[in-house]
Amino acid sequence: MSMRVGVVGGGQLARMMIAPAVELGVELRVLAEGEAMAASLAATAIGDYKDADTVLTFAQDVDVVTFDHEHVPQPVLRALVEAGVRVHPGPDALQFAQDKLAMRRRLAELGAPQPDWAAVADEDELRAFLEDHGGRAVVKTPRGGYDGKGVRVVSHASEASDWFASWDGPLLAEELVPFTRELAQQVARRAGGEVVAYPVVETVQRDGVCAEVIAPAPRASEKMLEVAARLGVTIAEGLDVTGMLAVELFETEGERILVNELAMRPHNSGHWTQDGAVTSQFEQHLRAVLDLPLGATDPLADWAVMVNILGGPASGGLTDRFAVAMADHSTAKIHTYGKDPRPGRKVGHVNAVGDDLEDVVYEARAAAEYFS
């Protein structure tokens, strides 16, 4: 009998699970939101992931349900569990990726290092938080934000007045962390409890969107690597995560790290593993949700660099640029998502690996430039 994994969501993360699923002999089925989604190659159903009946019907003949994103509502997730469907990660874990206030409270219970924060119900409470934190703060909508959406840096409480008027419940206020760089720690945890960690990576953000990833993080001491990995494992176990977990981090002076946000799925910060690690995050996620032994996370070279293709060319398609990019940068690996170019949209990425960081960065950036 084949193993059948149902993925809710038809984006590029589901698309990139297809190849490792084929290699593992896993039958991948995708519930896509529309006909032209990135993972349309494996789409077996089209429908609304917010509708319980649609998702329950999709899940009837799969062994486990997992996700391309964290936006499936809790009532739908709970309905799946009540119907006897194996759901990984489950609703009890996903709530902490869906609600940033719930995440902050749970991380505090686990003793995880994080920015100073508060739930603020109105402008007066935000004003008090600003006064206590140097006059500037980060304000976030607890649910629904990603890639810079639902996040504002404010100096006056009135700058969040529209959110207070429209949002049902308190907002999340966080101190504006004077970080030296951003990092990400990925771990995988299977249902049986086995956990593995990848090397911590440096991420470069532009306009709130991940632009580049360097693995492992340059200038990271052995202590930093150990602390980040241990923190990732602690969070995965404490939140009962099954599958891939990405812990986005701030590094401050003295190699201190603070938890920024969480993602319970394959993540942009782990795309380098496709060509730079023994086991890619996409294969690892499938192993984890099926409760199969996890793969080695060792890098295949000293360095791996991922550069996102954001927006795509102003005219023509991505495939028009393949031949020249491949000819000029034969060591770079080009991954595209089947998406039409649009300003700011993630339409693909380029990976490069090697033993000289400067050369690897150049190859990844130069190859990606052909698509911009």
Side-chain angles (χ1 to χ4, degrees):
M1 291 179 62
S2 65
M3 298 173 287
R4 296 161 298 184
V5 175
V7 183
V8 177
Q12 65 260 26
L13 300 179
R15 177 189 181 95
M16 287 183 274
M17 292 183 207
I18 296 173
V22 171
E23 293 167 353
L24 291 171
V26 171
E27 183 180 346
L28 198 73
R29 302 184 181 185
V30 172
L31 173 62
E33 296 89 330
E35 296 285 350
M37 297 294 292
S40 59
L41 291 169
T44 55
I46 305 294
D48 184 0
Y49 62 81
K50 293 175 288 206
D51 180 72
D53 289 339
T54 297
V55 180
L56 283 166
T57 299
F58 168 73
Q60 281 181 349
D61 55 357
V62 299
D63 298 308
V64 61
V65 167
T66 190
F67 309 95
D68 170 82
H69 55 72
E70 293 106 339
H71 306 311
V72 179
Q74 279 287 318
V76 175
L77 297 172
R78 303 282 175 188
L80 287 170
V81 172
E82 290 170 7
V85 178
R86 292 168 61 199
V87 181
H88 294 307
D92 289 340
L94 275 169
Q95 65 177 317
F96 301 114
Q98 295 175 331
D99 188 316
K100 295 180 178 65
L101 278 171
M103 176 197 74
R104 288 290 179 218
R105 295 185 183 106
R106 183 65 180 126
L107 290 178
E109 292 172 353
L110 293 175
Q114 53 183 335
D116 196 15
W117 63 277
V120 291
D122 52 37
E123 289 187 42
D124 288 339
E125 292 186 359
L126 177 55
R127 189 174 297 110
F129 188 88
L130 286 166
E131 290 172 356
D132 291 340
H133 294 84
R136 298 187 76 200
V138 179
V139 179
K140 299 179 179 180
T141 55
R143 298 180 297 279
Y146 66 97
D147 282 350
K149 301 177 179 67
V151 179
R152 291 178 185 171
V153 177
V154 304
S155 301
H156 303 282
S158 59
E159 294 176 77
S161 60
D162 57 330
W163 281 358
F164 284 121
S166 62
W167 191 259
D168 181 18
L171 301 174
L172 171 63
E174 298 177 348
E175 67 169 309
L176 187 61
V177 176
F179 59 87
T180 56
R181 60 176 172 172
E182 294 185 73
L183 306 171
Q185 174 64 58
Q186 281 199 307
V187 299
R189 181 173 180 267
R190 62 187 281 203
E194 181 189 6
V195 187
V196 296
Y198 288 87
V200 69
V201 302
E202 179 175 346
T203 65
V204 179
Q205 315 291 321
R206 297 197 185 105
D207 298 323
V209 178
C210 181
E212 297 183 5
V213 173
I214 302 174
R219 306 177 306 282
S221 65
E222 286 298 320
K223 179 181 178 182
M224 162 72 78
L225 293 170
E226 292 172 7
V227 168
R230 186 164 62 248
L231 177 60
V233 170
T234 296
I235 293 172
E237 293 177 337
L239 273 55
D240 195 25
V241 177
T242 304
M244 290 300 306
L245 168 70
V247 183
E248 298 181 58
L249 302 163
F250 294 130
E251 180 183 355
T252 64
E253 294 294 336
E255 286 197 335
R256 183 173 179 235
I257 56 175
L258 303 172
V259 178
N260 179 19
E261 295 191 351
L262 306 177
M264 295 179 190
R265 50 173 169 74
H267 188 256
N268 207 160
S269 63
H271 289 352
W272 69 273
T273 62
Q274 289 175 296
D275 304 294
V278 173
T279 310
S280 81
Q281 65 167 342
F282 300 101
E283 177 183 338
Q284 199 79 279
H285 188 73
L286 293 172
R287 289 180 179 228
V289 301
L290 286 165
D291 202 17
L292 296 172
L294 301 179
T297 58
D298 305 76
L300 297 174
D302 288 344
W303 300 103
V305 173
M306 187 282 306
V307 175
N308 267 327
I309 301 171
L310 298 173
S315 62
L318 293 173
T319 55
D320 299 338
R321 314 292 180 95
F322 273 29
V324 65
M326 291 174 171
D328 289 353
H329 301 283
S330 60
T331 61
K333 299 295 185 179
I334 302 166
H335 302 264
T336 57
Y337 307 155
K339 293 181 174 181
D340 293 329
R342 190 175 69 204
R345 191 182 203 188
K346 292 178 184 175
V347 294
H349 66 270
V350 173
N351 286 333
V353 300
D355 297 325
D356 183 282
L357 179 56
E358 187 174 337
D359 288 345
V360 175
V361 169
Y362 168 76
E363 287 296 316
R365 288 179 179 172
E369 185 65 25
Y370 282 98
F371 299 92
S372 59

